[in-house]
Amino acid sequence: QVRLVESGGGLVQPGGSLRLSCTTADEIYTTYSMAWYRQAPGKQRELVASITGGISTDYADSVKGRFTISGDMYKNKVFLQMNSLKAEDTAVYYCTFDAWAPGQPRADFWGQGTQVTVSS
């Protein structure tokens, strides 16, 4: 089992910034992609940003130009820099790795989530 740990969430005013981090101490053979999802109360979980091969990135339209995903596939770390935050960005943010780990087939591994609240 690969346990992902997120950090960096919190309360921020509209227009502010936060940087989320996600990493694991468990062994991984290969990480194919990493991503951030979020889930607001009463809404479905949605993809925020993803990074594949450490280079190719993709973003939800709602965060383009404001959020930046970066990651290190070899160190198994992924970050989400969030600028110009809006109230509608309030959600629990989850990181996920598409990876192959010892003793198990390739799978999507998820963190427990970190709360981001944007409010004045």
Side-chain angles (χ1 to χ4, degrees), residues 22 33-37 47 49-51 69 78 94-98:
C22 174
S33 66
M34 300 184 286
W36 288 93
Y37 284 74
L47 176 65
S50 64
I51 182 167
I69 188 171
V78 64
Y94 301 88
C95 66
T96 180
F97 287 6
D98 173 7

Side-chain angles (χ1 to χ4, degrees), residues 24-64:
T24 179
D26 297 314
E27 184 180 5
I28 293 178
Y29 288 147
T30 302
T31 300
Y32 300 96
S33 66
M34 300 184 286
W36 288 93
Y37 284 74
R38 68 185 180 187
Q39 187 166 20
K43 295 187 177 181
Q44 290 187 330
R45 190 172 296 188
E46 64 173 351
L47 176 65
V48 176
S50 64
I51 182 167
T52 302
I55 299 175
S56 178
T57 58
D58 192 24
Y59 296 91
D61 288 342
S62 60
V63 307
K64 283 181 180 177

Side-chain angles (χ1 to χ4, degrees), residues 64-110:
K64 283 181 180 177
R66 300 188 298 121
F67 290 10
T68 302
I69 188 171
S70 60
D72 187 324
M73 298 290 187
Y74 300 102
K75 295 183 179 179
N76 296 314
K77 294 183 178 181
V78 64
F79 306 95
L80 185 68
Q81 178 66 44
M82 305 186 294
N83 298 328
S84 302
L85 283 161
K86 305 176 181 179
E88 50 263 43
D89 294 318
T90 295
V92 177
Y93 284 71
Y94 301 88
C95 66
T96 180
F97 287 6
D98 173 7
W100 177 34
Q104 51 199 310
R106 178 177 172 177
D108 292 325
F109 300 99
W110 291 81

